[in-house]
Amino acid sequence: MARLKVEQKKSTIGCKQNQRETLRSLGLKRIGDVVVKEDRPEIRGMVHTVRHLVAVEVIEGDN
């Protein structure tokens, strides 16, 4: 299964509260943090909400 590598690139200063909460729920706390999540519609929606703050890379699964 494919996975998404999500890295926070920009600060949450000046962002809306729901965008800050979305980053926290993804597991990102500061600029430069990286998390790898399963490629599911829920995660894609969260990434779409904060697309201007993060960089996303698709990692193909070996299974």
Side-chain angles (χ1 to χ4, degrees), residues 5-8 27-28 30 32-36:
K5 178 181 173 185
V6 184
E7 180 179 1
Q8 185 174 346
L28 300 169
R30 61 185 61 88
D33 277 359
V34 177
V35 293
V36 178

Side-chain angles (χ1 to χ4, degrees), residues 3-24:
R3 297 172 71 87
L4 297 175
K5 178 181 173 185
V6 184
E7 180 179 1
Q8 185 174 346
K9 290 291 192 178
K10 293 187 177 182
S11 172
T12 58
I13 295 174
C15 291
K16 296 179 181 179
Q17 182 68 29
N18 71 317
Q19 293 171 347
R20 287 193 293 269
E21 292 170 356
T22 301
L23 282 176
R24 289 301 299 234

Side-chain angles (χ1 to χ4, degrees), residues 26-44:
L26 282 170
L28 300 169
K29 296 180 182 179
R30 61 185 61 88
I31 296 173
D33 277 359
V34 177
V35 293
V36 178
K37 298 285 187 179
E38 289 184 30
D39 188 4
R40 299 190 335 234
E42 300 88 5
I43 301 299
R44 288 232 177 209

